[in-house]
Structure formats: structure tokens, C-alpha cells
Amino acid sequence: LSICGKLCYAIGGAPNQVAGSAAAFFLQIYLLDIAHITPFHASLVLFIGKASGAVTDPVAGFFISKSRWTKIGRLMPWMLACTPFTVVSYFFMWYLPPFVSGRVAWYLTFYCLFQALTTLFQVPYSALTMFLSTDQKERDSATAYRMTMEVLGTLIGAALQGQIVASAHVSHHCTVNPPVNTNGSWHDTPGFPDLSDPLSHQAKVYMIAAGVIGGVYLLGIVVLFLGVKEKDDPYALNSDRAIPFCKGLGLTMKHGPYVKLTASFLLISTAVQLEQSNFVLFCTHAADLRNHFQYLVVTILVSAAVSIPFWQKFLQRFGKKCAACGISWMIPFAVMLVTIPNLILAYFVAFVSGLSIAASLLLPWSMLPDVVDNFRLQNPHAKGHETIFYSSYVFFTKMSAGIGLGISAAGLEFTGYKPGICRQSNDVILTLKILTGVVPAILILVGLFILFFYPITEESRKETKLALEVLR
């Protein structure tokens, strides 16, 4: 693979991360403080939206596995077809409709559409790794390029969104010292105007950000189409038959390495999702860092982007299971941040969290091709199973993240979160601390414990590589 080909492949997946990052960091606070829907309804939007994307994964995998080869490949037509619709649904996901009573249905509809359409892109795009090269090192290298660019995409998305919409969450009224004897009036004073007007400044800046990110989508798909050539399965025999989707799904669920890898990283990815979705709320309401949240987000993502090459070298030298230990680095520092909310400590925690997030992003996508190769060796006359592995993996991680985000927003509803006020109650602040520190720490520890039993080692990877070369 040429460096140009790897870069084009990596750039093609970046727009999904740009949009996903903006939604992960800002959608919950947008629904609560700009659209003014209740935390309960916000939890429904987040959970059902993620669930719709998750349900689309096996459906997409089924139809893609049935697709015939075309002049531009089997996977590329799916990515080209869904991108324009993804851009439209993403824009309307950030549009503030002029009516109030139907806003929940509006955001639910377009968030579900966006999640489903990004799935139709993500499943063939991630499975494309298997059709770039048969060499494990080449695929690992392409995955490292992809992860570096996706983290940069996450950085660009959060930075663009954060800088454009920061003014929507700054209120000079909330920065003054509260009166001593207010009998709770400080808590009940609105920090933001009533946003019944869809042309208000707060609504406009979110639509501007959505338009900019939509343009990034179009640029990415053009680069992917022009720079990447999809190759058919290079070592499938003409007599090999594609595995029926349902049978293939059953076989993947019985494949031990896949089950352990998926169980581990669905917990770890849920922890990262909880960190992302509650971080801005935590900075705004629990840590008195409302004027720094966009810079803290950028610090996390810059740290993650620059550390991807380090993790790639680390896993090549010490192995992929050993590199997973880096995911745990964020735990002690995140707990320190929620117990001692200090500005300098916050930036240090942001830096260390970026290192851990980079490892959590790179490792599953680097390990999944090894699982597919292991399955191929055990089922030498089967083909078409790649999309089944990738679609079901994305299904489980999205579903777990949706459940986590739904419970998160429901927890804020239960503890009495009120949109648009200057200072939330102590119960809400405690909930934000638990969601940002305690829950992610527990999920990461359990996920790493499961990964300890993952059976594919560096030695078994080399044996599988040699066996597949004999098979070819």
C-alpha cells in the first residue's frame, strides 16, 4: 500500500468522526440548554437514536454481504450513496424548529436518521480494511493511519463546534458572585434567554457549525473515492460460497476471540462515550470551568491525535494486549478531577485522558482484523464474513453506548436538572461527578479484566499469517 492510498483511506473516515465528535460533546447540552427539552426527553432522543444506529448495523451487514461486485467495488457504492443524505440529516439535527411542542419528535427523527445513515457508511468503510491488503502489517499500518486521521477528525469536530458555539453557552449573568441571602433565587435565575425564536444567536451558531461540518463530509467522500481502490477477496476460491448472514452471525457469536474482544471494548467505549457526553456539562455546572471547556476538549483531542503513532509503535513492539493497559491511565486522574476541580489539574487530566482515549480507539480496530483472520483459518471455504464481523461489532458498541447515554440523561432528570439556570442543585452536581469519574472507571476496569482472557497473542498471529499464506 502506498502512503497516498493509506492517507486517502484515512481521510475518507474522518468526516464521520468530525460529526460524531461534535454530537458526542455538544448534543446533550444543546438539547437541554438550547432546545429546552427536558432531560428525560433528551435521554429518549440519545438512547433511541443510538439504538436505531445499532439496529441498522446488522441490517446493513446483511444487505452489503448480498451486494454484487461493481466496477468501483462492492463496498464503495454504499458509501457514495448514503453521504448526501447523511449531510442533510446532520444539518436538521442541529436546526431549531419554530414550533415548541413537536421538538422532541423533530430531534428524535433526525438523530435516528443520522445514526442509521452513518452506520450505512461506517460498516462498509471499516470492512474495507480487509480489502486493502492481505498482509497483517499493511492492514495494521492502514488502521494506524485511519485512527490518526479519525482522532484528528474528532479534534477538528470538537474544536470547530466548540469555537463556533462557545458564545451560546457564555452568560455574563452567571459569572457574577451570587448574593448571600437569595433563598434559592440564584439557582432559579435563567442564565440563558428563552430560545423560542429559531433565529436567535444561539440557534444560528449551531446551524453554522452544522453547515461547516456537512461540507467536510462531502470533501472526505471525494478523497476516498478518488484515492482508494477496493480489491476483491484475493484468496477466495471460485468454489467458495458466501456465508448466509444469519448463519454467519451465529458463527461469530460462538467465536471465542470475537466474543471476548467485543465484550471488553463495548464496556470501554461506553466509558469513553459517557466521558464525552457529560464532560461539557461537568465543566459548565460542576467544576466552574464554563469558560475553559472548549480548550479542555481540544487538549484531550490533541493529546489523542499525537499519541496514535506512539501507540502503534508500542503495540508492534510489546503486543496489542499489553498496549491495552494504557486505557487505564485516565482513571486515577479523572477521579482526582471530580474530587479536586482545579484548572491546572483539569488540563493535566485532559492530556492524560487523550493518551488513554487514543489507545481505546486504535486497539479494537487493530485487533478485529486478527479475529477475522483467525475465523478465516477455522472456516477456510467461507467468504463474505468480514461485513458480518464489523457490522455486529459496531452494533454491540453502539447499543451499549446508547444505553449508557440514556441512563446518563435519565439520571440528570431524576436528580432535578433544570435547563438554562446559572447553578444546578447539589444532587445534579454529584450526578455529573459520578457520570464523569466513577462510572467510566468501573466500566474500564471490567473491560480490561475481560480483555485479559483474549486468546490471540503475537505468536498466534504469526502462526495464523503463515497458515493463511499456505491457504492462498
Side-chain angles (χ1 to χ4, degrees):
L1 293 175
S2 67
I3 292 177
C4 179
K6 295 175 187 177
L7 279 173
C8 290
Y9 171 65
I11 291 171
N16 247 5
Q17 304 306 313
V18 173
S21 170
F25 280 109
F26 292 96
L27 184 59
Q28 181 163 277
I29 197 169
Y30 170 81
L31 294 174
L32 295 174
D33 286 356
I34 306 299
H36 280 192
I37 68 176
T38 66
F40 173 73
H41 288 136
S43 70
L44 286 180
V45 171
L46 294 171
F47 170 70
I48 297 175
K50 283 285 186 181
S52 69
V55 170
T56 309
D57 284 301
V59 176
F62 173 79
F63 285 108
I64 292 170
S65 65
K66 297 284 186 182
S67 301
R68 294 184 176 182
W69 189 265
T70 68
K71 291 182 179 179
I72 59 173
R74 184 162 60 92
L75 304 174
M76 189 67 73
W78 287 88
M79 294 180 274
L80 288 173
C82 70
T83 297
F85 300 101
T86 305
V87 173
V88 173
S89 64
Y90 181 78
F91 178 81
F92 283 112
M93 192 175 82
W94 299 99
Y95 174 74
L96 189 68
F99 47 83
V100 177
S101 58
R103 282 184 184 174
V104 175
W106 174 278
Y107 292 115
L108 183 60
T109 299
F110 285 105
Y111 188 51
C112 287
L113 274 175
F114 173 72
Q115 288 292 334
L117 289 165
T118 53
T119 293
L120 288 176
F121 181 94
Q122 187 66 25
V123 170
Y125 174 76
S126 55
L128 186 60
T129 309
M130 301 300 299
F131 297 95
L132 296 176
S133 173
T134 58
D135 186 78
Q136 290 179 348
K137 287 186 177 180
E138 287 294 309
R139 289 198 308 246
D140 285 348
S141 177
T143 300
Y145 273 82
R146 171 192 161 193
M147 287 299 109
T148 302
M149 198 57 66
E150 287 193 355
V151 173
L152 285 173
T154 305
L155 167 62
I156 292 169
L160 272 176
Q161 189 89 357
Q163 293 301 319
I164 294 173
V165 309
S167 60
H169 300 286
V170 173
S171 173
H172 296 294
H173 179 78
C174 287
T175 59
V176 299
N177 294 324
V180 177
N181 296 315
T182 57
N183 294 323
S185 61
W186 170 251
H187 292 274
D188 299 330
T189 306
F192 310 108
D194 183 16
L195 303 174
S196 58
D197 180 13
L199 297 179
S200 66
H201 168 72
Q202 285 82 356
K204 281 182 179 178
V205 294
Y206 269 97
M207 285 190 287
I208 291 170
V212 172
I213 292 175
V216 174
Y217 254 108
L218 299 176
L219 177 64
I221 192 63
V222 170
V223 172
L224 180 67
F225 176 70
L226 296 178
V228 175
K229 181 174 176 59
E230 181 182 344
K231 301 174 184 177
D232 200 1
D233 190 341
Y235 54 90
L237 301 175
N238 291 331
S239 60
D240 290 351
R241 292 184 179 182
I243 300 178
F245 183 82
C246 293
K247 180 183 177 182
L249 191 61
L251 289 174
T252 60
M253 294 300 101
K254 296 176 183 177
H255 192 60
Y258 178 72
V259 171
K260 293 180 176 67
L261 180 70
T262 303
S264 171
F265 278 100
L266 71 83
L267 293 173
I268 292 170
S269 64
T270 301
V272 174
Q273 284 276 342
L274 284 173
E275 288 272 4
Q276 285 183 318
S277 64
N278 290 291
F279 187 74
V280 176
L281 283 169
F282 172 79
C283 291
T284 303
H285 298 298
D288 196 24
L289 297 170
R290 70 169 65 239
N291 294 324
H292 295 270
F293 71 81
Q294 67 268 37
Y295 306 113
L296 290 168
V297 168
V298 169
T299 302
I300 292 173
L301 298 173
V302 167
S303 171
V306 299
S307 63
I308 287 283
F310 162 76
W311 286 118
Q312 176 65 13
K313 293 292 184 182
F314 188 94
L315 65 87
Q316 285 178 347
R317 183 167 183 179
F318 298 103
K320 298 177 181 180
K321 286 180 68 173
C322 185
C325 298
I327 301 172
S328 63
W329 291 357
M330 73 167 74
I331 295 175
F333 299 104
V335 172
M336 287 175 61
L337 178 61
V338 298
T339 53
I340 314 170
N342 175 274
L343 181 60
I344 297 174
L345 179 62
Y347 277 100
F348 184 70
V349 169
F351 175 77
V352 176
S353 296
L355 299 177
S356 297
I357 288 171
S360 71
L361 290 173
L362 176 64
L363 282 171
W365 296 111
S366 181
M367 297 166 87
L368 194 55
D370 300 336
V371 173
V372 177
D373 278 348
N374 182 271
F375 180 86
R376 172 79 193 201
L377 191 61
Q378 296 180 20
N379 300 270
H381 296 295
K383 65 178 182 179
H385 54 280
E386 295 87 0
T387 53
I388 299 174
F389 273 98
Y390 280 87
S391 62
S392 55
Y393 175 78
V394 178
F395 166 78
F396 286 117
T397 52
K398 279 188 178 179
M399 183 61 76
S400 64
I403 293 171
L405 293 177
I407 293 173
S408 167
L412 294 176
E413 167 81 11
F414 179 76
T415 52
Y417 181 92
K418 294 181 180 179
I421 66 173
C422 290
R423 183 169 295 175
Q424 300 291 337
S425 67
N426 290 333
D427 289 341
V428 172
I429 292 172
L430 178 62
T431 301
L432 286 170
K433 289 182 177 181
I434 292 172
L435 292 172
T436 308
V438 179
V439 176
I442 294 173
L443 291 174
I444 289 172
L445 289 174
V446 176
L448 291 175
F449 177 75
I450 295 172
L451 193 64
F452 178 77
F453 299 98
Y454 175 72
I456 297 178
T457 62
E458 296 305 303
E459 290 74 18
S460 65
R461 284 180 66 226
K462 293 176 182 177
E463 293 171 1
T464 300
K465 178 182 177 182
L466 291 173
L468 286 176
E469 287 175 356
V470 173
L471 178 66
R472 292 178 197 129

